[in-house]
Structures are given as structure tokens and as C-alpha cells.
Amino acid sequence: MSTSALVNQNKHSNEYADSEQPLLSVRNLTKLYAPGKGFTNVSFDLFPGEVLGIVGESGSGKSTLLKSLSGRQTPDSGDVLYIRGRGEDQITQLEDLYEMAESQRRQLLRTEWGVVHQHPMDGLRGRVSAGGNIGERLMAVGKRHYDDIREESTKWLTDVEIPQDRIDDMPTTFSGGMQQRLQIARNLVTHPKLIFMDEPTGGLDVSVQAKLLDLLRRLVTELELAVVIVTHDLAVARLLAHRLMVMRRSEVVETGLTDQVLDDPQHPYTQLLVSSVLQN
Ligand SMILES: Nc1ncnc2c1ncn2[C@@H]1O[C@H](COP(=O)(O)OP(=O)(O)OP(=O)(O)O)[C@@H](O)[C@H]1O
């Protein structure tokens, strides 16, 4: 069978490869806090609507990479190129993230990007109500009318299965699973083009995790989000990611379509990772 036929059989077949222009293009990116602490020489393209999973050894640099991709950790070298804007305002050329003004990077993080942290309170404002946490992002994209903001926030609470009568409650009074769903609503309300997630289901009970994964999968498809997700959980990667990048000791050791990487791992470390899950 030809390679393309094999790829087409895959349930995560890469329909995005036909997109002409990547949304994010990463070239030879490196950030080391010290030798072996960080990541080196990472390159990939991410297309609109595509989900890239980053898996691998603890301490291999996954979170640091996610921070550098999302403008929160200046790399030592290499480029992160991104297509800014949307609709008629879309910039047609990739721009270097770290050549933009700091204010432009912050603006991206408030509007067309989202960051979902493992610990939800890292991405929520503890002293602002649930509705306010969602409404704040709407105001960042220019919404001003109180009733509209309230209505949109209520709709999003329902979408992430938080009872509407909790809208004026502080997120600190929510369970972990509810806080995580609120963080997701806060991020998605502006219809971002690109979301960065760091272990979004980590630390939650298994049943809560499963519901959250269902929700994420539905939203990612409905909103055609491009996502970069760091996870140590191969089941999460299998469910959400079209493509995988496997990291070990600050380096990418393997990349490919998710099913191919997990069903037919090539690198000895990936083989170990997959077999250790099978044995558990
Ligand atoms: N701000 C920092 N200053 C110095 N070293 C750091 C800093 N942040 C992370 N490190 C180190 O860099 C290495 C990579 O950390 P990182 O958090 O990116 O790994 P990771 O793959 O996400 O790990 P885990 O899966 O355990 O979360 C680790 O050795 C970590 O201790």
C-alpha cells in the first residue's frame, strides 16, 4: 500500500496538510535554562484546526516549549512565526512573535489565543465572579454592552455545564472540575484561533477527566481550533491530537500522526513509553 493510502486510512488522517498556509510555524527553536534543562532545535508547522500533542519524559522541556510557543518565555534562538488577525484584518504573512512589541503579544494572549493551565486558578481571577472571568475576555475584544456580555457569559457557562445560578459566585468556591471548565469557557469565549493547553486534565478525578475530555473534543471540533496540548497521558493524546511530538531530554525524538506514533512507535523511547502504558 502506498504511504498516502496508509495515511488516508488513519482515523486522524491529516486533512490539514492541504491547507496552504500554516497558522504557526516554528523553526529551530531552543531555550535552555541550563544544559539539559529546556528544549533544543524544535521545528514544526501547525495548520488551522489542527491539534498537536506534545508527550514525553518528565522534565524533557514540554512546558517550557509551550511557554515559548505562546510568547511567555523568550527563546534563546529560532523563530516562532504566526499569522495574526482574522477575517479581513488577517495579516497575510507569518510574523515573528518575538519581533512583535510586547504589547502585541499580550494582546494576542487576550484575544485570538488562549492558554489553559493545569491548575485552573493560574488561569482564572480568584476575586472576580465566574461571569466576570468570562466577561473580561469579551471586553478585551471590544464588547462593551453589559447585557450582551452577561448573556454571552451565561451561554458559555451552560456550554461548559456550569449551572447558570453560579454566575455571580467566585471561582474559588467551585470544585476543581468546575474551575477547569470555567477556565476553558474564559479562553474560548473570544473564539480564539489557537489554544495552548498544559495538562488540562491533570489532577482531576478519572470520571471528571473523561467528561472534560468529551467537552474539549466537542469544542475543538465545533470551533475549528488549532491546539498545542502538553500531556503525559497517552489516552488524552490519542483522543485529542491529530499529530504527536515525543520529547526526551530536551529533544524531539519522534513526530508523526498520532495513531502511527502510538501503534507503530519508531524511537526506542517512544516504544518504552507506549509499552509501559500497555503494561499498566
Ligand atoms: N524557570 C526555570 N528556571 C530554571 N530551570 C527551569 C525553569 N523552568 C523549568 N526548569 C527546568 O527545565 C527543565 C524542563 O522543565 P519543563 O517544566 O519544561 O519540563 P516538562 O517536560 O514540562 O516536565 P513535567 O512533565 O514534569 O511537567 C526541568 O529540568 C526544569 O526543572
Side-chain angles (χ1 to χ4, degrees):
M1 192 181 291
S2 71
T3 313
S4 64
L6 266 177
V7 167
N8 287 335
Q9 275 202 337
N10 191 293
K11 97 170 136 68
H12 286 313
S13 67
N14 204 356
E15 59 263 42
Y16 309 98
D18 294 338
S19 293
E20 277 174 21
Q21 177 105 305
L23 187 62
L24 189 75
S25 186
V26 179
R27 294 285 165 261
N28 305 316
L29 202 66
T30 294
K31 168 70 199 173
L32 288 172
Y33 298 108
K37 293 197 181 303
F39 63 87
T40 55
N41 209 22
V42 174
S43 299
F44 66 89
D45 286 336
L46 184 75
F47 290 85
E50 187 178 29
V51 181
L52 173 70
I54 304 176
V55 297
E57 207 169 52
S58 181
S60 58
K62 304 182 296 296
S63 297
T64 308
L65 172 59
L66 202 71
K67 282 188 189 156
S68 288
L69 297 177
S70 52
R72 296 172 297 142
Q73 176 65 66
T74 308
D76 299 336
S77 58
D79 302 314
V80 181
L81 307 168
Y82 174 69
I83 301 259
R84 198 153 47 95
R86 60 176 98 221
E88 285 181 2
D89 293 333
Q90 178 152 308
I91 311 284
T92 48
Q93 280 183 350
L94 288 157
E95 287 176 287
D96 192 326
L97 193 60
Y98 289 96
E99 281 176 12
M100 289 176 195
E102 170 73 31
S103 58
Q104 281 178 323
R105 279 200 297 276
R106 276 206 305 269
Q107 175 72 1
L108 282 177
L109 279 164
R110 279 199 301 268
T111 57
E112 57 191 84
W113 287 359
V115 178
V116 175
H117 301 265
Q118 173 176 0
H119 303 294
M121 291 313 297
D122 290 346
L124 291 171
R125 300 234 285 147
R127 293 175 183 207
V128 173
S129 67
N133 263 285
I134 300 177
E136 198 174 50
R137 288 264 299 187
L138 286 171
M139 284 160 72
V141 291
K143 294 268 165 69
R144 290 285 171 264
H145 198 276
Y146 176 83
D147 289 343
D148 292 347
I149 292 175
R150 181 110 179 153
E151 192 183 319
E152 185 79 6
S153 302
T154 309
K155 181 192 143 312
W156 268 93
L157 284 181
T158 311
D159 265 16
V160 297
E161 296 168 20
I162 295 175
Q164 290 183 11
D165 62 5
R166 302 296 306 266
I167 190 166
D168 294 318
D169 293 348
M170 299 295 151
T172 41
T173 66
F174 288 6
S175 68
M178 269 169 84
Q179 286 176 349
Q180 194 54 300
R181 296 201 299 277
L182 180 63
Q183 192 192 187
I184 288 164
R186 175 179 159 94
N187 273 281
L188 298 189
V189 68
T190 54
H191 291 266
K193 299 192 319 192
L194 177 55
I195 294 274
F196 301 94
M197 298 186 192
D198 197 351
E199 302 278 8
T201 58
L204 298 173
D205 288 348
V206 175
S207 63
V208 179
Q209 266 190 28
K211 279 189 80 175
L212 192 69
L213 269 177
D214 271 354
L215 174 74
L216 280 176
R217 204 148 94 121
R218 176 170 65 77
L219 293 173
V220 163
T221 313
E222 272 174 15
L223 302 174
E224 294 184 347
L225 289 172
V227 180
V228 183
I229 177 171
V230 166
T231 178
H232 72 276
D233 188 334
L234 294 188
V236 171
R238 166 96 74 182
L239 207 65
L240 289 180
H242 302 106
R243 252 184 329 132
L244 278 191
M245 205 156 82
V246 185
M247 291 185 70
R248 187 190 187 217
R249 295 185 186 161
S250 311
E251 286 182 359
V252 174
V253 295
E254 184 160 354
T255 57
L257 293 175
T258 300
D259 290 353
Q260 285 177 345
V261 170
L262 296 182
D263 295 341
D264 186 19
Q266 300 297 307
H267 190 277
Y269 172 70
T270 320
Q271 289 168 355
L272 193 69
L273 195 69
V274 171
S275 70
S276 66
V277 173
L278 292 177
Q279 278 159 19
N280 285 330

